[in-house]
Every structure is written in C-alpha cells, then in structure tokens.
Amino acid sequence: MRRALIVRGGWEGHSPVEATEMFRPGLTDAGFEVEIAEDLDVYTDAEKLAATDLIVQCWSMGTLTPAQCDGLVTAVRNGTGFAGWHGGIVATFQDSPEYLRMVGGVFLHHPPEFLDYEVRVSREQAHHPIVAGLPDFTVHTEQYWMLSDSLNTVLATTEFGPPDGPATMPVAWTRDWGAGRIFFSAIGHRTEDLWDPAVYTLTHRGLVWASRQVVQ
C-alpha cells in the first residue's frame, strides 16, 4: 500500500477541500492510503514525509516557515513525489526561493476574464504516460502566464495572443528534484475546470506518476 498525503488550505477561492476530494477516490483506486493535512507544520514531520510516497498540495497564497520549507524540499529530494495544480502549487510560498526552485515555476499574471484557450500536447512528449492518447483540448478558465525554467519537461502548452502575446506558456510539466518526481498543471481555478474529462485525466495521471519510484 502506497501512502499519499493531501496538504490543503490557504485561499478558499481555489476550493482546496472540494478540489482535492475530487481526486481522493482515484488515488485510493490506484492503491494509495490517503491522509489529509490542513496544517503546514506537517512538513516539519520528517518521519511522516519519509514514509509518504506522494504529496498532493493545494494551498494557495500561503507562507512557509524556514523549517516547513526545508522539511518539504528535503523529503522531495529524498524521493517523496510532489504534485498539484494551479495556484495551489505556483501561486503560493513566493517568499520561499527553495520551494520555487523545486517546483520549477511561479505564477505571474492572468487576463482579468476567463478565456477559451487551446491546450496543446507537446509532440515531443506525446508518448509520456501522463499525456499518452490525450488530444489537444480547449478549456474556458484562467490562462496562466508563468515564469519557469529549462529543467521542466513540458507536457502541454498554450498560446497567449495580443495584447500580451504572442507567447507560448507551459500548461503542464514534470521535473526531477533529487530523487523525487514533480508534476504540475496550470488548470484548476474552479472544480468545474478539473471535472473536464481531459483535465481530470491529465491531473490524475500526473499525481500517480509523481509518486515515489521504487527501485526493483
């Protein structure tokens, strides 16, 4: 039995409880024993994190103490997977550089209104298990403009048009951090966004993929 820890809280506008509960049954079906934490001090429990195979975080607009940040980053470097979506990953803990380096990106801007925009699966990653068989798809929600780095394996992108673009932005990526795996998707401002079949599939697969890798 693998262990998943859902860490949720922060700004209620991203519905951290409702959103994470959407993925709890799928994690259970995938063989995870799921625990919930609604206090960031869980990141200071080194023994618990060392026994955790996957952390799913949905915590927007928060602040990490140095001890919390160090506990989380150390656990991921040692092999605990880390995954999540939207502001719960990249619009939080912005005063913790080590956290931001670990996740590989930070939210910068989105247009004031919801937009219809296309999400394009990266052709170079079309056989990656997270996006294999997924077609390009369109969503109607916030379109995230982010800063990111070249260590990310970009699974899907979107295009910003005028007046902000043209600019290509990552929508979903993976990265390795030490022995740990990371998955992020920019989609998920509302639970309605996450219920979209393509978005749900992308996100669920990403969570499972990020889990700790067992050496045979």
Side-chain angles (χ1 to χ4, degrees), residues 33-46:
E33 178 183 312
V34 180
E35 182 179 348
I36 303 294
E38 296 179 332
D39 189 323
L40 293 173
D41 271 344
V42 72
Y43 288 152
T44 66
D45 190 336

Side-chain angles (χ1 to χ4, degrees), residues 212-216:
R212 182 188 303 275
Q213 300 306 290
V214 178
V215 178
Q216 299 296 329

Side-chain angles (χ1 to χ4, degrees), residues 70-152:
D70 182 66
L72 171 59
V73 173
T74 298
V76 175
R77 282 195 177 277
N78 289 339
T80 300
F82 185 77
W85 55 88
H86 201 63
I89 296 290
V90 297
T92 192
F93 310 151
Q94 294 191 5
D95 57 352
S96 297
E98 288 303 308
Y99 169 82
L100 297 177
R101 283 206 316 135
M102 181 185 78
V103 300
V106 60
F107 164 73
L108 194 64
H109 162 79
H110 64 71
E113 70 281 356
F114 286 1
L115 300 174
D116 291 315
Y117 64 90
E118 186 178 29
V119 177
R120 298 179 181 175
V121 174
S122 300
R123 298 298 170 250
E124 298 83 356
Q125 301 299 327
H127 298 294
H128 192 289
I130 296 177
V131 293
L134 280 182
D136 298 342
F137 58 93
T138 300
V139 293
H140 179 77
T141 187
E142 288 181 341
Q143 189 179 29
Y144 261 21
W145 184 299
M146 290 179 295
L147 300 180
S148 59
D149 68 43
S150 61
L151 295 178
N152 294 333

